[in-house]
Amino acid sequence: MGATLLPSMAFGILPRYVIGSPGADCRGVSGSRIGGHLVCYKTASRRKKPSSKYQIVCKSGSRIFSSMDDSSDTITDLGDGRDVFSSDSSETLGIEEVELIETRKALSNAQARQKAIQKERDQLLEELARSKAKQQEYVATILHDKELAIKELEAAKSLFHQKLQESVEERFSLESKLVLAKQDAVELAVQVEKFAEVAFQQATSHILEDAQLRVSAAETSAAEAAYQIEKQIQEATEGTILSIVEQSKDAIEKALDVAEKAGDHVAKAVSAFTDGLDQVDEIVFVQSENIKLNRVVTDLEYQLLVLRSEVDRLKLELENVHTQIHASEARASNAEKALLEFQESNSKRTLEKEEEIMSLMEKMRKDASERKKVATKSFKAELQSIKAAIKAAKETTHSRDNAYLRRCEALQRSLKTSEDASKMWRQRANLAESLLLKESPIDEVSKDSVHVINGGRIDLLSDDDSKKWKLLSDGPRREIPQWRARRIHTIRPKFPPKKVDVAEALTSKFRTLDLPKPNEVWSIAQEKLKEGDTLIEHVIEKETIEKKRKALERALQRKTIQWQRTPEQTKLEPGTGTGREIVFQAFNWESWRRQWYLDLAPKAADLSQSGITAVWLPPPTQSVAPQGYMPSDLYNLNSAYGSVEELKHCIEEMHSHDLLALGDVVLNHRCAHKQSPNGVWNIFGGKLSWGPEAIVCDDPNFQGRGNPSSGDIFHAAPNIDHSQEFVRKDIKEWLNWLRNNIGYDGWRLDFVRGFSGSFVKEYIEASNPAFAIGEYWDSLGYEHGDLCYNQDAHRQRIVNWINATGGTSSAFDVTTKGILHSALHNQYWRLIDPQGKPTGVMGWWPSRAVTFLENHDTGSTQAHWPFPRDKLAQGYAYILTHPGTPVIFYDHFYDFGIRDIITELIEARRRAGIHCRSTVKIFHANNEGYVAQIGDTLVMKLGHFDWNPSKENNLDGSWQKFVDKGSDYQLWSRQ
């Protein structure tokens, strides 16, 4: 702090100063603020008024009090250094000096107290700063602990949700397994009943006779067995009785001997007793022997009782045998009666079945003949219409050609007229040149003739006042720019040279106009096509007609080839394809994270060159889940994979490379847009605004008011009731919209276990797809954790669904996939069924079996049922060389490094002419390998089995190996 300046005193006694703290108050005294401190002072009363002779001389001055200096507090006199008071007032000055000393002491004490207060204040500030720092640390620690607690809470929450989800999924899987087990049990019972019925229906007369013989033989054998049993029982009884009698005699004899010996001992004992008392021991011995004898007797009696009970038991068994014989005789008689009744009923049923079969055969023959007639008639009519269309197209083409010829003739005529006009203008130019040069005078007669020749225009050239004459004589008014000159020279012939004056123009012999030559005159060949021109319209129309003509010719050729095919090769229903499709699944579970349609469209050319014929695209509909399998608004095709415009572009790219585009449609369930008043999500929005009446009533989660479901329940979304007429109508319109407006060629149907195959048949017949695949996926048969060899029940369920669709749709061969998982691990015997056919749907209905190794559910990031990665090459070698329609997964083709292997196998399938109905002849299937002939021109081997065509006796022809992958697979082709 700075020095404190005290005010100057004019005269009188120096006031007493009291320095207080900044907050102090001066009451009853005068004071002022000095450097932030209050300085209080009292004015001493004058003791007496100074006389005139004691004049006090007061000079102006200032005194400075230092309050913050560490040195001793002093008052600095800022005056001129002379005494304030006169020498005469020495007494007054002494008093004032004493007061000044006291004031200085008070001031030093105040300053000391101020320093102490300042130090205390600094300590308090430091403690406050430390407390604030500790408070901030505490706050940071609390916040950190809070964040950790929140994170732990969130982690626990997420873990709880995960565990909850896992438990829900496990419960769902267990429920689904239970439902599948119940369904399997029911289907097994149905199959057993069917097999029993078939067995009874297929019984013949010789089987019945054999049954009669077996019954009579059974009766004879039963009688013989009864006799033998009775004889054995009698012999055993007699032998037992004899043995018992003999044992009894032996026991009695032994007992008598013992008794005699005992009597002798008793006699001896008595004599010995009489002789002396030392015979007591002998008596004891005799008693013990007697006790042993009693035990032997009791044992013999017990054995006798046991033998008696055994005899009684044998008698009872004999009686039971007699009763069984009587019962068997009764059963035999009943069986004979039942057999007679069965023969009669079976004969009646056989006659009825034969009559029904004959009537059905007759009806089928009639229907076949009628269909053949109708097909022949329709084919002839279609052929006539195609011929008429071709004839009309040819006539139209001929008329167009005639029109082009007439146009060419007209152009030639116009060319000729232009040439004549050019000649006439050339003559006129020569005449005008002669006139300008004044080579010959013009008389009256010639002048009139010139006027007549030039149409009266020559006077314009000969008039002196004419602007044209001036233009010809003087030339243009200013020079023509270069760009304009170039343009003039490109569109007009060259002008005559510019004339300087009239004399030069009259005397120079300038050249005539450079007219184009006849071969340079405009023609059709040199004319470029322009929009809006008549010529380009004719050309486009001609090209369109030519395209239509070629399309009609191709259609006629296809119809002719199709008519010449065998019944097995003919496509009878929509959705079954041509039989030579190779499908490519063009997405995986994570494809939605990218602009998939834009990424996939450029791959169309590559897929087509690799041999792919159809591309399975992801679900196009807006979905609650980004993968597309929880659809909401069916008509909104802006999905996570891209916009509807990008989808159309992708399909157009597929079509431009002759690839079919298969749409993944989800028809079993649909996610609602709104909640009902009960808080249940069962109100649908968008174009198809359905209500709870569109949901099956046995869906446990969404309170549907429709009919019961015709299949399994999908618990994650409302299950649609396909028995409702309005639902089927809307779905058929939507499928046709996808076909006609978007461009899809076929369908992959999701979760078809949820509704009946009859509805699928209706949808396919309404939308007429080129190819259709149904996803009927359920669990295979396992026993103690191992895959069962017999999987007929599993493939029968898939075949039943295909049959429910009327054969209009194919289905994924899940059975073959499951068997390949185990078969390729040195269990190749699983690849042949007891009838010698391939296992899976491929062995029963190959034209409707769509074989695959993996898809977005079994593989990708879901990996629910991944195929063994080290066996992928063998798996594709199997499905690409066998009948059925194979499917190639996107990840395998582009990410797993086996693209060349797949492409080579596709080419081998094409070269061998293998299709979905090719025959399979299996030669070997054991632990070491698998060998089969597919069609007529291909033989393949899997595994390390030592085999080649020369070692096979049942294989005709000469064969050459063209693919050799060692122990994985080998392929041979017929020479």
Side-chain angles (χ1 to χ4, degrees):
M1 294 178 68
T4 304
L5 184 63
L6 295 177
S8 301
M9 299 300 299
F11 58 90
I13 301 172
L14 183 68
R16 296 181 179 179
Y17 296 92
V18 181
I19 300 174
S21 63
D25 189 11
C26 295
R27 295 185 179 180
V29 295
S30 300
S32 63
R33 292 280 177 179
I34 302 173
H37 295 276
L38 182 65
V39 179
C40 301
Y41 54 88
K42 293 183 179 180
T43 305
S45 60
R46 295 172 180 171
R47 295 180 179 177
K48 60 179 180 178
K49 189 174 180 180
S51 60
S52 58
K53 62 179 182 179
Y54 297 104
Q55 296 292 330
I56 298 175
V57 180
C58 296
K59 295 185 177 179
S60 177
S62 297
R63 293 183 182 273
I64 296 174
F65 291 82
S66 177
S67 62
M68 297 298 295
D69 194 2
D70 294 336
S71 61
S72 60
D73 296 326
T74 58
I75 300 174
T76 305
D77 190 5
L78 298 180
D80 54 0
R82 287 178 292 182
D83 293 334
V84 178
F85 305 102
S86 64
S87 59
D88 295 334
S89 58
S90 60
E91 184 181 358
T92 305
L93 183 59
I95 295 170
E96 289 177 358
E97 286 177 357
V98 172
E99 292 179 355
L100 181 60
I101 291 169
E102 291 177 356
T103 303
R104 285 180 180 178
K105 288 180 181 180
L107 181 61
S108 62
N109 293 332
Q111 287 177 353
R113 286 194 300 272
Q114 185 178 3
K115 286 181 181 181
I117 292 169
Q118 187 67 24
K119 288 180 181 180
E120 188 178 357
R121 178 174 173 274
D122 293 340
Q123 291 176 359
L124 291 174
L125 289 175
E126 289 177 359
E127 290 178 359
L128 180 62
R130 284 196 296 270
S131 64
K132 286 183 178 179
K134 288 182 180 180
Q135 185 180 4
Q136 291 177 357
E137 290 178 0
Y138 292 155
V139 170
T141 305
I142 291 169
L143 291 175
H144 182 65
D145 294 339
K146 183 180 179 182
E147 291 177 357
L148 290 177
I150 291 172
K151 289 181 180 179
E152 290 177 357
L153 181 61
E154 291 178 353
K157 188 177 180 181
S158 62
L159 182 62
F160 171 75
H161 285 298
Q162 183 179 359
K163 294 292 184 182
L164 181 62
Q165 185 68 23
E166 290 177 357
S167 62
V168 170
E169 291 178 357
E170 185 176 1
R171 179 186 175 188
F172 174 70
S173 63
L174 290 174
E175 289 179 354
S176 62
K177 288 180 181 178
L178 180 61
V179 172
L180 289 175
K182 289 182 181 178
Q183 186 178 1
D184 292 341
V186 172
E187 291 181 355
L188 182 60
V190 172
Q191 291 297 327
V192 169
E193 291 179 0
K194 287 184 178 178
F195 287 149
E197 185 179 357
V198 170
F200 278 108
Q201 290 178 356
Q202 292 180 351
T204 56
S205 60
H206 66 277
I207 296 175
L208 297 176
E209 293 175 0
D210 190 12
Q212 290 177 353
L213 293 174
R214 288 182 180 181
V215 170
S216 61
E219 291 175 355
T220 306
S221 61
E224 292 177 353
Y227 175 75
Q228 293 293 333
I229 291 169
E230 187 175 1
K231 187 176 180 181
Q232 289 176 2
I233 291 171
Q234 187 176 1
E235 291 176 354
T237 306
E238 291 176 356
T240 305
I241 292 170
L242 290 174
S243 63
I244 291 169
V245 171
E246 290 177 356
Q247 291 177 2
S248 299
K249 288 180 179 179
D250 295 337
I252 291 168
E253 290 176 356
K254 290 179 180 180
L256 291 173
D257 293 336
V258 171
E260 289 178 357
K261 291 179 179 179
D264 295 335
H265 282 295
V266 168
K268 290 178 181 180
V270 171
S271 62
F273 184 77
T274 56
D275 293 337
L277 294 174
D278 55 349
Q279 299 296 325
V280 176
D281 296 332
E282 189 72 22
I283 293 169
V284 173
F285 176 74
V286 170
Q287 289 178 354
S288 64
E289 290 293 331
N290 193 12
I291 292 169
K292 290 180 180 178
L293 183 62
N294 291 330
R295 286 179 182 175
V296 171
V297 171
T298 55
D299 291 339
L300 290 173
E301 290 177 354
Y302 177 73
Q303 290 179 1
L304 184 61
L305 290 173
V306 170
L307 290 173
R308 286 177 181 175
S309 64
E310 186 71 20
V311 171
D312 294 337
R313 187 179 63 78
L314 291 173
K315 288 181 180 179
L316 290 174
E317 288 182 356
L318 183 61
E319 291 177 359
N320 291 330
V321 168
H322 282 296
T323 55
Q324 288 178 1
I325 290 170
H326 291 303
S328 62
E329 289 177 355
R331 285 198 299 271
S333 61
N334 293 330
E336 187 175 0
K337 291 179 182 178
L339 183 62
L340 293 174
E341 292 177 357
F342 177 73
Q343 288 177 352
E344 293 177 359
S345 62
N346 193 20
S347 60
K348 291 181 181 179
R349 289 180 183 176
T350 305
L351 292 173
E352 292 176 357
K353 291 290 183 182
E354 288 179 355
E355 291 177 357
E356 291 179 0
I357 290 170
M358 292 297 293
S359 61
L360 287 174
M361 290 290 290
E362 189 66 26
K363 187 177 180 181
M364 288 172 66
R365 288 195 191 96
K366 290 181 181 179
D367 293 340
S369 60
E370 290 178 358
R371 288 180 182 176
K372 188 174 181 180
K373 289 179 183 179
V374 172
T376 306
K377 188 175 180 181
S378 61
F379 176 73
K380 289 181 179 179
E382 190 173 1
L383 187 63
Q384 291 295 331
S385 62
I386 291 172
K387 288 181 178 179
I390 292 173
K391 186 177 179 181
K394 287 181 178 179
E395 291 177 355
T396 306
T397 306
H398 184 66
S399 62
R400 295 296 180 189
D401 292 339
N402 292 333
Y404 290 138
L405 291 175
R406 289 194 298 271
R407 182 174 178 82
C408 291
E409 291 175 356
L411 290 171
Q412 288 178 357
R413 287 195 298 272
S414 63
L415 179 60
K416 189 175 181 180
T417 54
S418 65
E419 289 177 354
D420 294 339
S422 66
K423 289 180 181 179
M424 184 183 68
W425 280 106
R426 193 176 289 112
Q427 291 176 359
R428 291 179 179 179
N430 292 331
L431 180 60
E433 186 179 0
S434 62
L435 290 174
L436 291 172
L437 295 176
K438 297 182 180 180
E439 293 179 353
S440 59
I442 301 175
D443 53 3
E444 294 297 331
V445 179
S446 62
K447 188 175 181 180
D448 293 336
S449 63
V450 169
H451 276 266
V452 173
I453 291 171
N454 292 299
R457 296 189 184 89
I458 195 65
D459 54 350
L460 296 176
L461 296 175
S462 59
D463 189 3
D464 293 337
D465 297 330
S466 175
K467 293 182 180 180
K468 290 186 178 182
W469 172 252
K470 188 176 182 182
L471 181 61
L472 289 173
S473 60
D474 298 339
R477 300 177 186 175
R478 60 180 180 271
E479 291 189 7
I480 300 174
Q482 293 295 328
W483 62 271
R484 186 177 295 175
R486 286 194 298 270
R487 185 175 180 186
I488 291 172
H489 284 301
T490 55
I491 61 175
R492 295 293 299 270
K494 295 180 180 180
F495 286 104
K498 184 178 179 181
K499 308 300 185 297
V500 180
D501 53 7
V502 178
E504 184 181 358
L506 294 175
T507 57
S508 64
K509 296 180 179 180
F510 60 88
R511 292 174 299 174
T512 59
L513 299 175
D514 293 334
L515 297 176
K517 297 179 181 179
N519 57 356
E520 295 177 356
V521 177
W522 175 85
S523 64
I524 297 176
Q526 294 178 349
E527 178 67 12
K528 295 182 179 180
L529 301 179
K530 298 178 181 179
E531 295 183 359
D533 193 359
T534 307
L535 181 63
I536 188 172
E537 293 177 357
H538 290 317
V539 172
I540 293 173
E541 189 174 359
K542 183 178 180 181
E543 291 177 354
T544 305
I545 293 171
E546 188 67 19
K547 288 181 181 178
K548 290 182 179 179
R549 183 180 65 80
K550 290 181 180 180
L552 289 173
E553 288 179 355
R554 287 196 298 270
L556 179 62
Q557 185 178 5
R558 286 197 300 269
K559 290 288 184 182
T560 307
I561 294 172
Q562 185 177 359
W563 183 259
Q564 293 174 355
R565 287 179 180 172
T566 60
E568 291 183 356
Q569 296 175 339
T570 306
K571 177 182 173 183
L572 300 177
E573 299 289 344
T576 58
T578 62
R580 301 183 184 273
E581 282 79 14
I582 298 177
V583 181
F584 179 77
Q585 184 180 359
F587 65 99
N588 57 31
W589 192 250
E590 304 298 330
S591 298
W592 61 273
R593 299 182 184 276
R594 295 152 55 186
Q595 294 179 334
W596 194 247
Y597 295 143
L598 298 180
D599 290 348
L600 186 61
K603 294 182 173 65
D606 181 35
L607 295 174
S608 179
Q609 291 174 2
S610 300
I612 305 295
T613 63
V615 177
W616 166 16
L617 298 175
T621 310
Q622 181 192 28
S623 171
V624 174
Q627 290 81 13
Y629 289 101
M630 301 286 283
S632 53
D633 186 2
L634 298 184
Y635 279 90
N636 186 355
L637 302 188
N638 294 315
S639 65
Y641 299 99
S643 63
V644 63
E645 290 79 11
E646 294 170 354
L647 172 60
K648 288 182 178 179
H649 169 68
C650 183
I651 294 176
E652 288 174 358
E653 285 295 316
M654 300 300 164
H655 289 167
S656 64
H657 293 89
D658 297 327
L659 295 173
L660 296 176
L662 305 181
D664 198 332
V665 291
V666 184
L667 304 180
N668 175 74
H669 50 273
R670 181 185 172 197
C671 293
H673 293 73
K674 299 177 182 178
Q675 290 176 301
S676 66
N678 298 330
V680 181
W681 291 89
N682 56 11
I683 307 297
F684 301 97
K687 187 174 181 179
L688 304 181
S689 55
W690 300 338
E693 64 277 359
I695 304 174
V696 295
C697 61
D698 50 355
D699 191 331
N701 300 321
F702 298 98
Q703 297 181 5
R705 294 202 296 266
N707 297 318
S709 176
S710 57
D712 296 340
I713 296 296
F714 181 77
H715 295 277
N719 289 251
I720 301 303
D721 181 14
H722 293 269
S723 64
Q724 302 287 351
E725 181 67 28
F726 73 93
V727 171
R728 297 199 305 276
K729 177 177 175 295
D730 290 344
I731 290 177
K732 286 186 282 189
E733 289 179 356
W734 177 61
L735 292 175
N736 282 308
W737 177 75
L738 291 178
R739 288 273 285 130
N740 302 325
N741 293 59
I742 307 302
Y744 282 110
D745 302 298
W747 315 122
R748 182 265 184 186
L749 304 168
D750 181 69
F751 197 76
V752 294
R753 281 174 47 198
F755 54 101
S756 174
S758 59
F759 301 130
V760 175
K761 178 183 179 182
E762 186 175 351
Y763 297 147
I764 289 178
E765 289 177 348
S767 58
N768 193 24
F771 193 69
I773 317 170
E775 185 208 16
Y776 194 95
W777 182 12
D778 62 353
S779 178
L780 278 74
Y782 291 87
E783 185 175 358
H784 304 299
D786 296 329
L787 183 71
C788 298
Y789 167 70
N790 188 350
Q791 296 292 337
D792 289 348
H794 185 269
R795 59 176 172 174
Q796 184 64 52
R797 292 194 291 271
I798 300 176
V799 169
N800 290 341
W801 180 84
I802 300 172
N803 197 26
T805 67
T808 58
S809 175
S810 304
F812 287 109
D813 194 351
V814 184
T815 313
T816 295
K817 170 184 166 57
I819 292 172
L820 282 175
H821 276 251
S822 300
L824 298 182
H825 289 86
N826 298 326
Q827 297 180 11
Y828 299 100
W829 46 268
R830 293 182 179 274
L831 297 177
I832 183 172
D833 65 2
Q835 289 76 33
K837 298 179 180 180
T839 50
V841 183
M842 181 199 304
W844 283 359
W845 204 343
S847 64
R848 301 297 187 271
V850 178
T851 55
F852 72 105
L853 302 183
E854 228 167 54
N855 58 28
H856 61 284
D857 287 321
T858 64
S860 188
T861 55
Q862 293 203 102
H864 290 319
W865 194 21
F867 198 83
R869 188 158 184 174
D870 58 334
K871 301 296 180 182
L872 283 174
Q874 277 189 310
Y876 276 114
Y878 182 81
I879 67 173
L880 286 172
T881 58
H882 278 66
T885 303
V887 178
I888 299 166
F889 187 41
Y890 180 92
D891 293 0
H892 298 166
F893 194 75
Y894 282 111
D895 298 335
F896 279 33
I898 59 172
R899 171 180 173 169
D900 295 337
I901 294 174
I902 295 173
T903 306
E904 184 181 40
L905 291 169
I906 293 173
E907 179 62 21
R909 182 183 182 90
R910 187 192 63 80
R911 285 173 53 189
I914 298 173
H915 49 82
C916 70
R917 296 178 178 85
S918 295
T919 58
V920 179
K921 184 178 181 182
I922 301 174
F923 295 112
H924 302 282
N926 49 40
N927 287 332
E928 297 180 353
Y930 169 86
V931 179
Q933 178 182 353
I934 304 93
D936 297 328
T937 61
L938 182 68
V939 171
M940 68 95 62
K941 177 181 78 72
L942 296 174
H944 49 81
F945 185 55
D946 185 12
W947 183 91
N948 61 67
S950 62
K951 296 181 179 181
E952 189 64 46
N953 296 326
N954 299 324
L955 189 60
D956 299 330
S958 60
W959 299 83
Q960 181 181 3
K961 185 188 295 183
F962 68 98
V963 175
D964 187 358
K965 298 296 182 182
S967 61
D968 285 344
Y969 61 90
Q970 295 176 351
L971 303 180
W972 289 266
S973 63
R974 184 189 291 273
Q975 294 297 310

